Every structure is written in structure tokens, then in C-alpha cells.
Amino acid sequence: MNTILKSTIIIASLSLPAFLSPDVVAKSVNDDNASTQHDKVGNKHDGKMKLQKLSKQLNLTENQLTQIKAIKNEERAKLDTLKPKMKLFREQAALLMQEDTFDEQAFVVLHAANQETFTRVAVIKANTKFSMNNILSEEQREKYKKMTHKRSKR
């Protein structure tokens, strides 16, 4: 029984790119977003609050703030197209974690099948970071670097 489940997961993850065209992915993302929007009022991790805090700490100009908002919106739109694939990976990984014993090979195959998606996410995030860094002045970059370094120590 477990072998059949694992085989099904592996086959499904390997065949996923063939069935999900960009149009299908974009449509399903729009459908998912409409039904899964959460109210983030009071959530200190809300993107707007982070941006306001960053703006205050780095003393961003209105122009810089506008540019950063545009970059972050572009990043969000790109990442949203990958949400269905990431969600499917997490669901399949969760199924593997529910087994009595950990099947390392099945997880390696699942992870390898999703490597392109992971790489795309990493490139999108790196491009955003690079673009935002280019908007900041040298002084702001140094201050931001210190801020992120302090955060990484926690």
C-alpha cells in the first residue's frame, strides 16, 4: 500500500510540468487568491508594516518608496504564479512525512522533480533584492546591511 502511494506521488510530481501550462497556473492562482485572502490587520509581519518600518529606518524618499513598492508588487505577481507548484510539493512532502518510515529516496525524487520551481523562486527573490539594493543610496545600503545582519544573529 505504501509503495503504491509513494509511486503515485512520484509520478504525479514528475508529470506536473506537462499538465500545468502558464495559463492554467495563472488561472488557478487567481482562483486560489480570491478564496484564501486573509485579513492581516494587526499582523506585525504584514508587508505594508515592514515597508513602513523600512522607510522610516532608512529615511526613504517618496520616489524610492514608490520604486520599492513596484518591485515588491512585481515580485509578488511572479511568485504567485509558482504558488500552485509549491503547494503541491508541500502536500506531497507532507504525505511522505506521514508514513511509518522515512523514504529518503522518494523525498529526493520529489525534491529533484521540483528543483526548477525552487530555482525560479530563488532567482525571483535575488532579483528583487538586487533591484531594491540599487535604489538605495550607499549610506542606506550600509544601514540596511547592518539591520539585516542584526536580524540574522537572532
Side-chain angles (χ1 to χ4, degrees):
M1 179 69 178
N2 288 340
T3 307
I4 294 171
L5 178 63
K6 291 175 189 172
S7 298
T8 304
I9 290 170
I10 292 169
I11 291 169
S13 66
L14 291 174
S15 60
L16 178 66
F19 295 111
L20 289 178
S21 70
D23 295 334
V24 172
V25 171
K27 182 180 181 337
S28 67
V29 166
N30 289 338
D31 293 345
D32 287 349
N33 285 345
S35 63
T36 62
Q37 289 295 321
H38 297 287
D39 185 15
K40 294 185 177 182
V41 175
N43 184 349
K44 68 179 181 178
H45 297 293
D46 183 29
K48 289 180 183 179
M49 293 299 291
K50 284 182 181 180
L51 193 54
Q52 287 175 354
K53 185 176 180 181
L54 184 69
S55 176
K56 184 177 179 181
Q57 290 177 332
L58 296 179
N59 197 24
L60 296 176
T61 66
E62 284 297 318
N63 188 32
Q64 286 175 317
L65 194 56
T66 302
Q67 289 176 325
I68 289 174
K69 283 179 183 178
I71 290 168
K72 293 300 280 182
N73 287 338
E74 183 180 345
E75 176 191 43
R76 178 59 35 218
K78 289 178 181 178
L79 289 174
D80 281 348
T81 63
L82 299 175
K83 274 186 178 179
K85 290 181 181 181
M86 293 298 294
K87 181 179 179 182
L88 183 60
F89 167 77
R90 285 190 301 276
E91 289 171 353
Q92 292 171 338
L95 286 175
L96 288 174
M97 297 300 151
Q98 292 174 0
E99 297 294 324
D100 294 334
T101 59
F102 181 65
D103 186 348
E104 186 174 336
Q105 184 59 36
F107 186 82
V108 168
V109 170
L110 176 63
H111 196 275
N114 288 281
Q115 193 59 47
E116 180 183 340
T117 302
F118 302 149
T119 301
R120 288 176 61 195
V121 168
V123 168
I124 290 167
K125 289 183 176 187
N127 188 5
T128 297
K129 190 174 183 178
F130 178 81
S131 297
M132 286 177 57
N133 199 31
N134 283 337
I135 291 172
L136 302 176
S137 68
E138 189 61 39
E139 182 181 301
Q140 289 169 325
R141 275 188 219 119
E142 287 301 317
K143 190 170 185 178
Y144 184 69
K145 189 175 180 180
K146 288 178 184 175
M147 288 167 46
T148 56
H149 182 68
K150 285 180 184 176
R151 193 175 324 132
S152 67
K153 283 185 175 181
R154 288 190 226 165

